[in-house]
Amino acid sequence: MDAKVWMYLAYLTVSIGLTVWVARALSRNGLVFLEDVFADKRLADAVNSLLVVGFYLLNLGFVTVAMKEADPVGDTSQALEQLSMKVGLVLLVLGALHFFNVFALGRYRRGRLRQQAAAHPPLASVGYLPPQGGSRPVNPAGPTPAQTPPVPPR
């Protein structure tokens, strides 16, 4: 086998290994975040599973499309240089997808929290306290002139 075939095998091994490792880490550690985002454990589990499947499809699809190398590989050092470029590109794509997911879920979470806050508006400020139950004390001598409402003239 020539150097190009070895480079392809190393590229596939490293890229697939990184994809599986990152997917498992994000799935395990991201579940807490998803539970907070969706406020429902079952929905968070389902979305987590769907995100993992989408993550595998996108990354493994990119890995296979980006595998082809048009330039000839003359020796081992050229093979390692091209391998590092390919693996670096895979890592950049993995990171970009991760940040996109976190951004999108964060926006969804903020919207949900805004809706919850709008459903429970704060109490309106009132300049006085409403009367508390019970009866008012009665003046046995009758109302004072200040307490008597004015009578409109006829």
Side-chain angles (χ1 to χ4, degrees):
M1 284 196 283
D2 64 344
K4 198 170 193 177
V5 173
W6 285 111
M7 184 192 74
Y8 286 155
L9 292 174
Y11 169 72
L12 287 174
T13 302
V14 171
S15 297
I16 291 171
L18 281 171
T19 300
V20 170
W21 175 71
V22 170
R24 286 183 178 173
L26 292 176
S27 173
R28 182 179 56 251
N29 297 319
L31 187 57
V32 174
F33 178 71
L34 290 174
E35 287 174 357
D36 183 49
V37 167
F38 294 110
D40 180 2
K41 183 163 175 38
R42 280 188 45 207
L43 181 60
D45 287 336
V47 170
N48 195 28
S49 296
L50 292 173
L51 284 173
V52 168
V53 169
F55 186 81
Y56 278 131
L57 290 173
L58 282 171
N59 286 299
L60 295 177
F62 176 77
V63 164
T64 55
V65 167
M67 186 172 81
K68 184 169 173 43
E69 180 60 46
D71 297 333
V73 178
D75 58 358
T76 308
S77 66
Q78 284 180 338
L80 287 175
E81 289 171 2
Q82 290 176 351
L83 176 64
S84 69
M85 288 293 290
K86 289 183 175 301
V87 171
L89 195 56
V90 168
L91 290 173
L92 289 173
V93 169
L94 287 171
L97 284 173
H98 169 66
F99 282 117
F100 173 76
N101 282 339
V102 170
F103 174 76
L105 291 170
R107 284 188 59 127
Y108 176 82
R109 179 179 178 267
R110 280 191 299 278
R112 183 181 57 80
L113 291 177
R114 263 191 240 115
Q115 284 178 341
Q116 285 177 348
H120 303 290
L123 294 175
S125 64
V126 178
Y128 62 94
L129 292 174
Q132 302 296 319
S135 61
R136 299 175 82 180
V138 177
N139 186 351
T144 63
Q147 293 174 334
T148 307
V151 178
R154 289 188 185 193

